[in-house]
Amino acid sequence: VTVSEVMAEIRDSKSREILAKLPFPIEERVPSQESIKKVFDFARKTGDYAALSKTDLKLIALTFMLSCETNEKFIGNNNVLSLQEQMKKNNSETEEKKIVEQN
């Protein structure tokens, strides 16, 4: 499942050919206006808005919407790290694992 903007970014014929051969269809969905607003507002609060493209934000909004549809908790309240902070944390944990594995 993705948004149409992601599919539009796939321009080269080789990539489109690979996608066409997948054993399942890629469903395009549109996130709700409510999900878009929540994600855009949240990204502004965390400082991530400027670093994300509109396509990125719409894809995150779709993910949020689908998560809400399945009643899974996706975004918490006040204690959620910004996307950039979470990425830094994940990268740091990966580096720590590498160091431990090397020793």
Side-chain angles (χ1 to χ4, degrees):
V1 178
T2 192
V3 293
S4 62
E5 291 83 353
V6 168
M7 297 305 288
E9 289 180 2
I10 303 167
R11 294 187 183 110
D12 67 284
S13 59
K14 178 136 178 113
S15 296
R16 287 198 174 273
E17 185 179 314
I18 291 168
L19 287 175
K21 291 180 181 179
L22 290 174
F24 52 85
I26 298 176
E27 180 184 353
E28 291 181 24
R29 299 247 335 242
V30 178
S32 67
Q33 287 301 315
E34 179 184 9
S35 294
I36 291 171
K37 181 177 179 350
K38 284 184 180 185
V39 167
F40 276 50
D41 290 347
F42 188 79
R44 283 186 187 98
K45 286 179 187 175
T46 62
D48 294 308
Y49 185 81
L52 296 167
S53 69
K54 289 196 179 193
T55 299
D56 293 335
L57 290 163
K58 284 184 79 175
L59 188 58
I60 294 167
L62 177 62
T63 304
F64 176 73
M65 182 185 85
L66 294 172
S67 179
C68 290
E69 285 177 4
T70 59
N71 297 318
E72 293 177 18
K73 186 174 181 181
F74 182 73
I75 296 179
N77 306 29
N78 301 325
N79 60 354
V80 177
L81 296 174
S82 75
L83 296 174
Q84 290 174 339
E85 289 171 334
Q86 186 63 47
M87 287 171 49
K88 286 178 189 174
K89 181 181 174 195
N90 290 345
N91 288 340
S92 174
E93 289 171 357
T94 301
E95 290 301 316
E96 287 175 16
K97 276 185 176 178
K98 286 180 184 176
I99 291 169
V100 170
E101 289 172 355
Q102 289 174 355
N103 293 327

